[in-house]
Structures are given as structure tokens and as C-alpha cells.
Amino acid sequence: MLRTTLIALLFLISTHSFAQFIVKGKVTDSETGDPIPFASVILKGTTTGISTDFEGYYQIEARSLTDSISAAYLGYISASKLLQNVAEQTVNFQLKPSDFEMEAFVFEAGENPAFEIIRRAVDRKKDFDKRSLSAYETKNYTKIEIDIDHVSEEFTQRKTVQKVTAVLDSIQQLTNDEGEKILPVFFSETLSKFYYRNNPELKKEIVEKSKITGVGITDGSTTSQITGSAFQEYNFYKNWLNIVEKEFVSPIADGWKNFYDYDLMDSVLVGKDSCYILQVYPLREQDLAFSGTIWINKETYALKQVDLSIPKEVNLNFIERIKIQQELVPTSAGPLIPSKSRVQIKIGQVTPKTAGFLAKFYTSADSIRVGEPKPTSFFNQAVTLKEDYNIADEEFWAANRQDPLSQEELAVLQMVDTLKRIPIVRFFSEGLKFFGTGYLNVGKADIGPWPGFFNYNNIEGVRLGMGGRTSLKFSNKWEIKAYGAYGFKDEKFKYSTQVTRILDRFHWTTLSLSAQKEIDQVGLEIAELQDNSIFLAASRFGTLRRPFFNTNQKLEFQREFFKGFLFFSNFKLSQFDPLFDFYYLEKGTGEYRSDFETTEAKVGLRYGRDEIIIINDNERSSFGPSKWPILQATYAKGFQWLGGDINYSKLTFYLYQRLNMGMLGVSRYELDAGKIFGEVPYPILKNHLGNETLFYTSAAFNTMNFNEFASDQYASLRYRHFFEGFLLNKIPLVKKLKWRAVANANVLFGSVSQKNVANSPTVDPYGNPLETFGRLDPKTPYVELGYGIENIFKFFRIDFFHRITYLDHTDAKPFAVKISGQIIL
């Protein structure tokens, strides 16, 4: 016992003698205030030093002190500070970012030693990729902050801005190290459980608690679903990472040598693991690739840490910097899980008279468990909210945060709460939301959509309209929509109403009843173009093509049986009343008729294996698929014995997929096929969508005229490819413009049976010629090829289309130029 006590006493004495001085502190980014992990802090003139942890903290224990201490990290200007001759002191560093420029590489004879390290890391990817686990779950804490920065002098001099700053002068102001004011506008915290299973690959996040404060944020349920960890996942063991809708190649991708060069900088002890430090450089400065530092375990060749940035030279718009820092820990089964991730996205000023934005995302994971996969039914909805997700006081958050809020973050919360109460801020934020969504919230209802408030065309003249819908505040089980419009030329009232009962929000199940009386156009029906709002609006101004009054009543039902698998059906009564010279020959009697009624029942199936769906208030919203295609099949039957005038059947098939082509860019294709059985008037046929407007749309054949072709059996392929910067980045002068090449190929096979041709007379009962429809030769497809440039002045796109076949048609356009506007990164 005495021996043990003496050994302990000697150990304490020796430890104290080896650590007479303690220097500790934090290293942060001077512009953003965020911690800089993995920075080197060293006593000047010695080899005594340490790296900062993920939160930027360090602590050095030394027997003696020098006169100063320095902090350094790649991409930042090194800094030094004087030390005091005291036993314990705190020294914080605020490092300024530097404009990093890649230096020329000079290697001696032989292979770059970093290549062998990368080669072994790539060979062992399957051992450490978390996707190789059959299932895992984590408890996650996520926080997001969005600030306005780079506030220009012209911006601050605006009267509306001065009204805001006058109020904010009464509270603590946040500034960066250069004295520029930072204006926080959003802050969120989320506690959630994240679940993953393989074969099939499925993910689910249950948001347990969420606290959101932000300017213009009134919808907590929708926002809470997208501020969790499910949308903040970055796995560098994938070959390609999707960031801001762009595909970036990982530094340890299978084809790493085509994109990167490396420097072996040093080896260092990270925790208990000895690691190689490798500097990463993109081979071409405008490629969608990273630069920065990665740490690779010397024994296992697993990733230990990453600190990577996307350089400003990359072909992105508005974004000045994207920075990703990540710390990985092994699971009990071996594969790695990110324990902490930090992402910064800095958006520059669009014009010199505006401001920039800075978005910060932080996620930490603990309670990592590897176990048996949950049943597939558990993953039916990608993100769900617990009933009391938004009910928690500050004591709860203080006890359950995995990381406490800093003083800067507490100041952010205070400022955002103050900002959102300022009347002028509320006015502009609500106005921006109204413009973006089309609806303005008023109590328990939303007024809109604003594009339908005014219209002008040759049938209605000036048309004024107004509509609305109930919101989640009204009910989470019932949704009511209504819209009315009046044309001052035709002096007729149009309307649409719909009542929806939400029967099950988990297995999304709804029952709807609707009624409508509206002017529509053959081949340009509103129901088919709702997702192309600009094209729809352009096609309904001016001269309407083959207009008709569409009066219908419809009963709809849909249910999602399991994740991605949706069943839908409807029963519809419709009446077609033409507002143009139209006749068809009635089957059996051979008499001329101009109007008809249909009674139609439809059933359909839709499957998107990895499609991400969230419940946006009382509607489903899709974030699209990431890898697998979306398939849809429908069957419709028209009944004459239930009050309709025509018997027919329709069978359709649709497939959509997004393809990552690696360094070549991204492709999207749509396959559409169908067949109509029975003798029908041509408005019931598939009237293929042409485009006589100046605007480009991916939904149409852009050199085809409106109503030029119709089919009762058809198959089409619309293929679009986005080269990103692949081609134009290699042209010295053009690459500075950051233009991006695009390509299109549209192919259509179709035909019309002779019985449906006979149903469409070429003259009316009085012998006057009638407009009918064009027919495709089943052996000759309609083909158009296109190419173009997007990202012109960061907003505009121009496409050039060549019509390859059917050039002998009247008014055929062998060449067309289409323009469009888009906000892309």
C-alpha cells in the first residue's frame, strides 16, 4: 500500500515538473467566426505543439515557455501572439483566409509517394464505407445558421435597410475580424434519430425536437423536415458527392488519378491513430473537385479526418467558397461513421449594390448503433416529425445539445428574434415568399396563385381571377381549394373547386372531390402543364390554339402502400365544348358532332425506389430520385353506358431517370409510351406537345408546331445532357465566362389507326375545310437535335434546335432558337 502511494506521489510530482506551463485557447476563422479544426499551434522556436480539435480548441503543456506562440493552417494567413510568463493563460487566434494558389509540382524520378497511400485507401474503401453495413442508427444534433454578410455601402444607404439597422443598434452587433457587420437571418437546432438499412438502401430520419427562428419563417413543420441531418450527409467513400445539386468527385474516388494530384505533407498522431497528412489538389482548377487536406490512418488506410474546400475557380455561380470538415469514427463492425461534420457555403454579392450570404451547417452524431435492419415499411416516409417536436424549453436544449452554443451563437439568436419583429423586414420577407410560392398567407388560408390574377387572350380579352386554399392552421385532415375568373370579352365565369380529405399521413392516403369549368386548349391542357408554369402562362396569353370549354367533375383516391410505391385512381365526368371549328363523325350514325361527353375511370401505379418525399403542409413534395428511375403506368377506360358518348381505353407508361456521367456531366432522360384503343375524336388522342413560343421547355418538341401531330400509339424519348464545365472549361478565354454546354435529343415514334383518321372529317357539314391533325409515319420517327449554352451572365440559357425529319410539312421549322432564364449554381 505504501509502495503504491509513493509511486502515485512520484508520478504527480514528475507530471507537474513536466507541465509547469499551460497555454490553451481556440482558433477560429476571422470572417465567419467558425472554429478551425486540425490547425497547428506551436511554441515558436520549439517543436512543442499540437493540433486543434474539431471545435478549434487546443491545450499545450510545457516545462518552459518561449516569448510567443503561433497558429497556422493551409488556406489561412499564419498568426503569432506574445506569451506571458504565467502558469496558465488563454490565447485565441482569429486567422484570416488567404487566396490559396496551387503551386507547380516538381517530382524527382519515381512515383509520387502519396499515390501509393491513395491507392491503398481506395483498395480498402469497401471495408470502411458505411454503406457496407446492413443497418445502423445514430442520434444526431444539427444546427444551421444563415447570415447576410459583405454588406455593401450602397446597400446600407437604402432607406429600408437604414430602418432595420436603426433598430439593431440597440442590441449586440456581430462583426467579423475586419469590422464588417454580419446580419443573421436564420438559426435552427434539431435533435433527431437517423436510420439506415441496406438491400434495399433506405434512410429515415425522425425529428424528435426542433427549434427554428428566422426572418419570414412561418411554417415550422416543413422547415423542420429539411433542417435535420438527412439533408446534411456527405460520404467521401462515394465516388461522387452531390452538393448544391452538383456532382463533386471524391479525393478517394476510383478514378482519382484523372482528377487529383497529392502531396504527402507529414505524419501526425490524431487521437490514438498515427495518420498520413495529404494535401489534395484538383488537376484542373474549374473541375468540380476539392482542394485541402485529408488524414489517412497509417495502419488501416481509413479516412480519419477531412478538411476540404471547393475553390472559387470552380465553375459555380455566386458561390465563393464551400468548405467541408469532417471527423470519422469506426463502428463496432468496422465501417466509419462521421461523428462531426461542418459545412460552410459562402455566397457572394450578385451585384455590387447587394449583399452576400453565409450558410453554416453543423451535425454531430453519437449513440451509434449497428444492428438488425428495420423492416422496409418503417422507411415509408423519409422524414417524420414527432407530435411534440416543437415543444421544448431552453432547459431541455441546454441538457440535450451535444455541443453548447457559443457566445456568438447566442447573440445570433437574439438578433434574429429582433429582426423578424421589425415591420419593414416582415413586409419584404412575406412579399418574397408570395412571389416564390405564388400564395400569400392570411390567417388560416392562402391567397393565390398570383400568376392567375391577370391574363389576356383573344377569347376572353382581359381576364381577372382570384383563388385560395386552406392552410395547415385550418386543418391537417381537410384541404379546400377554390379559384374563380371572369373574361370581359366572352363575359363568362370560370371556376375550379376541390375538397380533399387526408385519411392517413403516414401511408399518404387522400380522397378528393373536384369540379371545374375552364377554357383549355387541345394539346396544351392545364392539367398536363402544371409543372411548367412559365410555358403554361406563355401559351395562355395572346391567341389560344384550338380552345374549348372543359367542364368536369372528378373523384380521386391515392395511397402510398410502401416507400416509393403509390397507387392512384380517379373517376371523371367531362364535357368538351369547342370554341373553334371542330367536328367528328359519330360512330354508328356517321353524323357530324362538335361536342361530346366522356365518363372515364383511371388507375395507376408510380414507383420511385429512392425518391425523397416530404409532407409539405397538406401536400406531398418530391425532391426527386438520386439514382434509381421513377416509373409510372396508368390505365384509363371510357364508358359509354355510364353517360359518356365514347368507348375507349388508354394505356400509358412513363420512366424518368437522372444519370451521373462522372467527368462528362449529368444526363436526364424521359421515356413516354402509350396506346389508345377504340374509335375516338382527335382531342382524345395523344396530341404531342409542340412549342411555338420563344421559350425553351423540356416537356415539348421544340421545333414542332402546336397540334402538328397526334397519335393513338406512340413512344418518345427526350434526352438532355448537361456537360457542366467539361468542354468549355478547356477553352482559355471561354472558361472565364463559366459558360456550360448542353445537348438535347428528342425522338418520337407514332401512328394513327385508319378508323380514327376516318373519324376526323376534313370538311364541315357545309363543305368548309376543317383543321385536323398531322400523322406520323410509323416507320419514320420525328427527330430533333439541339445544343446550347447555359449560364450566360449566370442567368440565361440559349438553345439551338435542328429538325431532322418531316421537313416537308407546311410551316415546318427546320431550325429554332429558344431562350430561358434560370437561377443555377
Side-chain angles (χ1 to χ4, degrees), residues 208-448:
E208 297 185 330
K209 294 295 179 184
S210 177
K211 185 173 72 171
I212 294 170
T213 182
V215 176
I217 303 297
T218 56
D219 174 25
S221 63
T222 303
T223 310
S224 294
Q225 292 178 74
I226 62 176
T227 53
S229 59
F231 294 91
Q232 323 299 334
E233 188 184 25
Y234 303 95
N235 182 4
F236 286 92
Y237 278 96
K238 291 182 177 180
N239 288 329
W240 297 86
L241 286 80
N242 187 286
I243 305 172
V244 293
E245 294 301 311
K246 301 290 182 182
E247 299 288 341
F248 290 83
V249 62
S250 169
I252 56 169
D254 293 338
W256 56 272
K257 211 167 187 179
N258 295 320
F259 300 95
Y260 288 104
D261 214 331
Y262 307 83
D263 266 350
L264 176 58
M265 306 296 291
D266 200 352
S267 62
V268 67
L269 194 65
V270 180
K272 298 180 180 179
D273 299 320
S274 181
C275 297
Y276 294 112
I277 304 177
L278 276 74
Q279 197 62 44
V280 178
Y281 309 91
L283 286 178
R284 294 164 294 274
E285 63 180 11
Q286 287 198 318
D287 279 358
L288 297 181
F290 300 94
S291 67
T293 309
I294 60 175
W295 287 256
I296 294 179
N297 190 301
K298 293 178 72 172
E299 182 180 348
T300 64
Y301 292 91
L303 274 180
K304 181 67 175 179
Q305 299 172 158
V306 302
D307 188 357
L308 297 170
S309 297
I310 296 169
K312 61 175 61 178
E313 292 81 12
V314 167
N315 194 333
L316 288 175
N317 290 330
F318 314 119
I319 292 179
E320 292 185 357
R321 180 175 63 182
I322 298 178
K323 189 176 185 68
I324 301 176
Q325 299 164 326
Q326 198 173 80
E327 190 176 70
L328 298 100
V329 296
T331 61
S332 58
L336 307 176
I337 297 286
S339 60
K340 294 182 179 181
S341 298
R342 183 181 292 109
V343 180
Q344 300 174 13
I345 301 177
K346 192 169 187 176
I347 300 175
Q349 297 162 278
V350 178
T351 68
K353 294 184 178 181
T354 59
F357 283 90
L358 177 64
K360 307 176 189 180
F361 307 86
Y362 174 84
T363 299
S364 63
D366 64 5
S367 305
I368 300 169
R369 294 178 55 190
V370 176
E372 292 297 317
K374 298 279 187 183
T376 54
S377 59
F378 175 79
F379 298 88
N380 197 51
Q381 194 172 321
V383 182
T384 60
L385 304 172
K386 280 199 168 182
E387 287 188 8
D388 60 346
Y389 74 94
N390 58 351
I391 303 174
D393 56 21
E394 184 52 39
E395 289 184 5
F396 171 87
W397 284 101
N400 288 274
R401 288 187 186 104
Q402 295 179 17
D403 304 286
L405 296 182
S406 65
Q407 290 299 317
E408 291 81 4
E409 288 169 333
L410 292 173
V412 164
L413 282 171
Q414 181 189 15
M415 185 170 286
V416 174
D417 283 336
T418 303
L419 261 179
K420 66 183 184 181
R421 295 189 184 99
I422 300 174
I424 190 68
V425 173
R426 292 178 61 186
F427 174 79
F428 278 104
S429 61
E430 290 299 322
L432 186 62
K433 189 192 303 183
F434 177 49
F435 179 78
T437 65
Y439 286 90
L440 178 66
N441 179 254
V442 179
K444 296 183 179 181
D446 299 326
I447 305 301

Side-chain angles (χ1 to χ4, degrees), residues 649-651 673-682 684-688 709-715 749-757 773-776:
S649 296
K650 288 185 178 182
L651 185 63
K675 184 174 177 61
I676 300 169
F677 305 88
E679 298 178 29
V680 297
Y682 80 79
I684 296 180
L685 299 178
K686 175 67 173 181
N687 284 268
H688 302 291
F709 293 104
S711 303
D712 57 20
Q713 55 183 356
Y714 61 92
F749 285 89
S751 64
V752 183
S753 61
Q754 190 56 44
K755 58 186 178 182
N756 282 327
V757 173
F773 58 90
R775 284 168 279 164
L776 292 159

Side-chain angles (χ1 to χ4, degrees), residues 458-673:
N458 63 314
I459 301 295
E460 300 171 286
V462 173
R463 168 180 165 139
L464 299 179
M466 180 65 71
R469 65 186 182 188
T470 58
S471 67
L472 194 66
K473 297 176 185 178
F474 174 80
S475 173
N476 66 347
K477 295 182 178 180
W478 292 95
E479 183 183 47
I480 302 171
K481 294 181 179 180
Y483 178 80
Y486 182 80
F488 287 86
K489 182 178 180 180
D490 65 354
E491 298 182 341
K492 290 185 178 179
F493 183 72
K494 297 89 184 174
Y495 64 87
S496 67
T497 60
Q498 179 176 303
V499 178
T500 301
R501 176 72 163 98
I502 301 172
L503 302 171
D504 186 345
R505 298 183 76 91
F506 182 73
H507 292 283
W508 186 253
T509 308
T510 64
L511 184 67
S512 301
L513 181 64
S514 62
Q516 181 187 58
K517 183 175 183 180
E518 183 60 274
I519 291 182
D520 233 326
Q521 300 174 83
V522 176
L524 290 163
E525 285 83 359
I526 296 173
E528 302 295 328
L529 294 175
Q530 287 180 341
D531 295 332
N532 294 271
S533 56
I534 294 178
F535 180 74
L536 176 61
S539 67
R540 294 183 65 79
F541 267 90
T543 302
L544 300 185
R545 287 93 175 165
R546 304 192 184 186
F548 65 95
F549 260 109
N550 179 10
T551 306
N552 65 70
Q553 300 83 40
K554 183 164 59 173
L555 179 66
E556 296 179 275
F557 173 80
Q558 62 175 331
R559 179 174 176 83
E560 186 178 42
F561 284 98
F562 56 86
K563 180 175 171 55
F565 187 80
L566 182 72
F567 168 82
F568 57 93
S569 63
N570 65 57
F571 183 78
K572 182 169 67 172
L573 306 175
S574 297
Q575 182 174 328
F576 178 93
D577 295 307
L579 299 173
F580 67 104
D581 291 334
F582 165 77
Y583 291 93
Y584 73 100
L585 298 176
E586 187 176 37
K587 182 181 178 182
T589 66
E591 295 180 356
Y592 282 86
R593 288 195 58 179
S594 61
D595 58 356
F596 57 85
E597 295 182 2
T598 60
T599 302
E600 181 185 277
K602 179 190 287 186
V603 294
L605 298 172
R606 188 179 190 275
Y607 181 58
R609 176 173 173 174
D610 61 355
E611 186 178 17
I612 297 176
I613 301 287
I614 69 168
I615 306 303
N616 179 11
D617 285 351
N618 290 328
E619 297 178 350
R620 299 170 87 241
S621 297
S622 171
F623 281 77
S626 57
K627 179 181 177 181
W628 296 94
I630 291 176
L631 301 95
Q632 180 170 304
T634 64
Y635 174 75
K637 175 68 176 176
F639 300 97
Q640 193 171 22
W641 57 273
L642 286 176
D645 294 324
I646 307 161
N647 279 319
Y648 63 88
S649 296
K650 288 185 178 182
L651 185 63
T652 64
F653 174 80
Y654 173 81
L655 185 148
Y656 165 82
Q657 189 173 16
R658 181 182 187 272
L659 300 173
N660 176 23
M661 309 296 287
M663 62 186 300
L664 297 178
V666 176
S667 288
R668 291 180 173 87
Y669 72 87
E670 294 176 84
L671 180 64
D672 196 6

Side-chain angles (χ1 to χ4, degrees), residues 31 145-152 155-156 161 164 168 174-176 180-186 215 346-347 349 354-360 412 415-416 419 425:
E31 289 191 0
E145 178 185 336
I146 300 176
D147 307 320
I148 296 176
D149 71 346
H150 281 317
V151 180
S152 66
F155 185 78
T156 58
V161 178
V164 174
L168 295 179
L174 295 174
T175 61
N176 59 28
E180 297 176 338
K181 291 183 179 180
I182 295 174
L183 193 61
V185 292
F186 179 88
V215 176
K346 192 169 187 176
I347 300 175
Q349 297 162 278
T354 59
F357 283 90
L358 177 64
K360 307 176 189 180
V412 164
M415 185 170 286
V416 174
L419 261 179
V425 173

